[in-house]
Amino acid sequence: MNKRPVHREYKEAVKLHRWLEVRGIEHFHVPNETGGNAARGAMNKRMGVKKGVPDFFIFHGDRNIAIELKRKDGGSGATKDQRRWLQILAAHKFESYLCNGADEAIAVIEKAPENLICKKFSTDVTEVDCPF
């Protein structure tokens, strides 16, 4: 049986999506993944898809949240483009975060912004470690 391993970041994204769905929290995932398909990548570029746009946009109460979701262990971290988009969105009044795993992202959504465990981006500081 040739079973392909499921990408760890994918599992975290599914977990976060399900958590948001069950609670009726409005959100969407940006499908920037091309799966190594050059033709799909070229099509996306022509349609205006941008490198580094965060994975999730969440609208919870009066909060607009952008989350770049990484696997639990952080993997290779955020790219320069991903960090740039988090800063752009912070400049436009989004709470912008880099989270390692769905559990960190859920903590961002559940808790007041001053009690976070992942990286929060702002316009004046590249990134800030948020105390839990």
Side-chain angles (χ1 to χ4, degrees), residues 62-116:
D62 62 351
R63 297 170 66 199
N64 296 323
I65 306 167
I67 293 178
E68 176 58 39
L69 185 65
K70 297 298 180 189
R71 61 189 201 213
K72 278 186 182 183
D73 66 6
S76 58
T79 67
K80 181 180 175 183
D81 290 324
Q82 289 168 335
R83 291 175 183 278
R84 181 178 156 269
W85 273 108
L86 290 169
Q87 290 172 327
I88 289 168
L89 290 162
H92 290 279
K93 309 298 183 219
F94 273 80
E95 294 178 33
S96 300
Y97 301 97
L98 172 61
C99 297
N100 294 332
D103 293 336
E104 279 192 8
I106 290 166
V108 164
I109 299 159
E110 286 186 320
K111 301 190 183 309
E114 62 272 4
N115 295 325
L116 301 176

Side-chain angles (χ1 to χ4, degrees), residues 43-57:
M43 286 172 60
N44 285 349
K45 189 173 184 178
R46 285 192 298 270
M47 291 187 296
V49 174
K50 302 287 185 179
K51 282 184 179 180
V53 172
D55 295 308
F56 282 90
F57 286 79

